[in-house]
Amino acid sequence: MERREEDYPLSHDNWVRSRSFFGERHLEQNDMLRELDREFADLCIRLIHEHMYPRQVLPQKTRELCAVAALTVLDTPQLVPHIKAAIQAGATREEAAEAVFQMLTYCGVPRTLNAVAQYRRAIAELAEADPDGPAARKPQPPTPLKHDGLTVDERAIKTGTRLYGEAQTRLVIDELEAVDPAFNRMFKELVYAGMYSRAVLDAKTRELLAVAACTVINALPELESHARAGLRVGLTVEEIREVIFQMVVYVGFPFTIPAFRRFQTIVEEAER
């Protein structure tokens, strides 16, 4: 530790904080970078541990759940340490799993299943390291969807309207219905009446995960829709913007800046 404190003077405090979440493997990666190029290593470490991770706009738990969503979509082994970090920051194992599950509609089945395998690995490693910790307890049974006596169509319209407004919801549904009623039926059941109606995460967190996912895949029209939905369910401009900014760690500036610009058009529109 003393050697690293001397080696990493620019970001030592934040680096130590990060170590508590990501473990010794993270330190080994930092050491590897410094052996290759000390100047590049300092820039990389400062980006993560001095500039981005210490920001206080979002709670650590929320930021890590957004990272879980982004890395699920990107299909990267870096997902494992962030699942661990989310749980260490206070997320339940069900919430961490739900952050993975919600990405089904953004990245499809193969990447979601890959992420589920990484989730299981992360939980097993946490439980082995701490048999009395939160990862070691038995998972809670899933919260059933609340049908409230509504049909799939009615639930889809109700959820879509709450998030996107009735006009936009009916526009999407009507467009699909005109082309392929069977696909439209699946869409309503899976998305509006299914994934978007699940109760493991609150609507605000779910929309932040969607913003993270849309940023890292450069899906700007969908980013705009989810940013508007986030504002509709009570997120602040600062919270949504922060999720976009945090994605610079995972996809760099070419995707982060266009996402920021698209969101700014929504902010400026609201201010007129």
Side-chain angles (χ1 to χ4, degrees), residues 145-164:
L145 294 175
K146 294 182 179 180
H147 292 178
D148 297 328
L150 302 177
T151 66
V152 169
D153 280 1
E154 290 169 337
R155 282 188 285 126
I157 293 294
K158 180 180 178 181
T159 299
T161 298
R162 177 169 57 85
L163 295 174
Y164 309 112

Side-chain angles (χ1 to χ4, degrees), residues 214-255:
C214 292
T215 298
V216 299
I217 60 176
N218 201 30
L220 298 184
E222 291 73 20
L223 169 69
E224 181 174 341
S225 293
H226 285 286
R228 291 183 186 278
L231 294 172
R232 187 183 289 269
V233 299
L235 289 169
T236 66
V237 167
E238 291 74 20
E239 288 170 329
I240 296 172
R241 185 185 291 132
E242 183 65 17
V243 169
I244 294 171
F245 284 165
Q246 285 291 331
M247 296 304 104
V248 75
V249 175
Y250 311 112
V251 292
F253 293 99
F255 280 10

Side-chain angles (χ1 to χ4, degrees), residues 35-80:
E35 288 175 5
L36 291 172
D37 190 313
R38 292 174 64 90
E39 182 179 20
F40 173 77
D42 281 340
L43 289 172
C44 187
I45 292 168
R46 291 184 69 187
L47 165 66
I48 299 170
H49 303 308
E50 183 175 335
H51 295 299
M52 298 312 301
Y53 285 5
R55 291 166 63 94
Q56 300 295 313
V57 180
L58 295 171
Q60 178 81 6
K61 168 185 165 180
T62 303
R63 186 170 58 75
E64 288 301 335
L65 288 174
C66 289
V68 168
L71 295 171
T72 294
V73 171
L74 293 173
D75 198 16
T76 167
Q78 293 296 326
L79 177 59
V80 170

Side-chain angles (χ1 to χ4, degrees), residues 5-256:
E5 183 170 3
E6 181 179 346
D7 283 350
Y8 305 156
L10 297 177
S11 54
H12 176 71
D13 291 343
N14 294 321
W15 168 83
V16 169
R17 188 181 302 114
S18 176
R19 176 180 180 272
S20 69
F21 281 99
F22 297 112
E24 291 296 329
R25 175 61 178 163
H26 193 61
L27 306 188
E28 293 171 6
Q29 292 174 340
N30 289 347
D31 289 342
M32 175 192 69
L33 285 178
R34 292 187 67 79
E35 288 175 5
L36 291 172
D37 190 313
R38 292 174 64 90
E39 182 179 20
F40 173 77
D42 281 340
L43 289 172
C44 187
I45 292 168
R46 291 184 69 187
L47 165 66
I48 299 170
H49 303 308
E50 183 175 335
H51 295 299
M52 298 312 301
Y53 285 5
R55 291 166 63 94
Q56 300 295 313
V57 180
L58 295 171
Q60 178 81 6
K61 168 185 165 180
T62 303
R63 186 170 58 75
E64 288 301 335
L65 288 174
C66 289
V68 168
L71 295 171
T72 294
V73 171
L74 293 173
D75 198 16
T76 167
Q78 293 296 326
L79 177 59
V80 170
H82 282 279
I83 290 172
K84 293 180 179 180
I87 292 174
Q88 290 172 321
T92 65
R93 56 184 295 173
E94 292 78 19
E95 289 172 328
E98 186 68 13
V100 171
F101 297 159
Q102 283 291 326
M103 295 303 101
L104 174 64
T105 60
Y106 305 99
C107 66
V109 174
R111 290 190 175 194
T112 303
L113 292 182
N114 288 347
V116 169
Q118 292 201 60
Y119 167 81
R120 289 170 61 86
R121 174 188 159 194
I123 292 298
E125 290 178 0
L126 283 174
E128 182 179 5
D130 183 5
D132 297 319
R137 67 164 176 77
K138 293 179 63 175
Q140 297 297 310
T143 303
L145 294 175
K146 294 182 179 180
H147 292 178
D148 297 328
L150 302 177
T151 66
V152 169
D153 280 1
E154 290 169 337
R155 282 188 285 126
I157 293 294
K158 180 180 178 181
T159 299
T161 298
R162 177 169 57 85
L163 295 174
Y164 309 112
E166 184 173 4
Q168 180 63 26
T169 298
R170 290 193 178 276
L171 175 64
V172 174
I173 290 175
D174 290 348
E175 285 177 334
L176 291 176
E177 183 69 22
V179 175
D180 192 323
F183 186 88
N184 188 39
R185 200 159 49 246
M186 178 277 294
F187 170 78
K188 289 184 291 186
E189 182 176 353
L190 173 66
V191 182
Y192 287 165
M195 296 307 299
Y196 292 179
S197 296
R198 288 168 61 89
V200 180
L201 297 171
D202 61 71
K204 290 182 180 181
T205 302
R206 191 169 58 243
E207 288 304 324
L208 288 177
L209 302 185
V211 168
C214 292
T215 298
V216 299
I217 60 176
N218 201 30
L220 298 184
E222 291 73 20
L223 169 69
E224 181 174 341
S225 293
H226 285 286
R228 291 183 186 278
L231 294 172
R232 187 183 289 269
V233 299
L235 289 169
T236 66
V237 167
E238 291 74 20
E239 288 170 329
I240 296 172
R241 185 185 291 132
E242 183 65 17
V243 169
I244 294 171
F245 284 165
Q246 285 291 331
M247 296 304 104
V248 75
V249 175
Y250 311 112
V251 292
F253 293 99
F255 280 10
T256 303

